[in-house]
Amino acid sequence: MRIIDAATELLADRGYGGCSIAAVSTRAGVSAGTVYNHFAGKSELVAEVFRTVVGREVAAVRSAVRPTDPVVERTVALVETFAGRALKSPRLAYALLAEPVDPVVDALRLQFRVAFRDIAAESIALGVERGELPPQDTAVVSAALVGAIGEALVGPLAGELEPGTVPALIDFALRSLGLSPTRGVSDAPHA
């Protein structure tokens, strides 16, 4: 839908503050009334953008974290996919991850954090079951891991990009699970 695409582009260009109904209607080439025919207001529109964009991100991470892979590869895939995709569109990712937003969108953030946490928890539980990881509270560790990755990305997404961010996050993730970082995995160039 052109309206969703226009709102997504505005979030990527200007952030939440620059994504007004007037700006969306102009970018989409429709009247503001047309936007209001589909959405009650900005928060409902951005909530739909959030569901669409973050839904794709969850699907990409889920696809990258293959249960047949060893836990180290699954962990690297989770971090590289989550962080790498965010860093490819930093303004949009910042708007969706950390920028102050309406309560409706903030509630969606929590729902999607749970989705990312669940992907990590499944991977961790599988690692424990296979003896690749020491026993651990998968719910707590996965929530902490997803929260740490998101928090560590806030600065880079706001323009304070450090080239070593993704490798450092991979090392952190592996250590937090009780693994030693594997040279060659975290030393390879990353997004």
Side-chain angles (χ1 to χ4, degrees), residues 80-81 83-88 153 161-167 188-191:
E80 282 183 337
T81 304
R85 289 174 64 94
L87 291 168
K88 286 180 183 171
L153 287 174
L161 185 57
E162 294 289 330
T165 298
V166 175
H190 300 283

Side-chain angles (χ1 to χ4, degrees), residues 117-118 120-122 124-125 136-146:
R117 181 210 62 203
D118 289 349
E122 291 166 14
I124 294 166
Q136 52 198 285
D137 185 327
T138 58
V140 172
V141 173
S142 60
L145 185 59
V146 168

Side-chain angles (χ1 to χ4, degrees), residues 16 19 41-47 95 99-109:
Y16 187 76
C19 187
K42 177 180 174 174
S43 67
E44 186 180 308
L45 171 59
V46 174
E99 188 172 1
V101 293
D102 289 332
V104 172
V105 178
D106 217 22
L108 284 172
R109 281 181 178 156

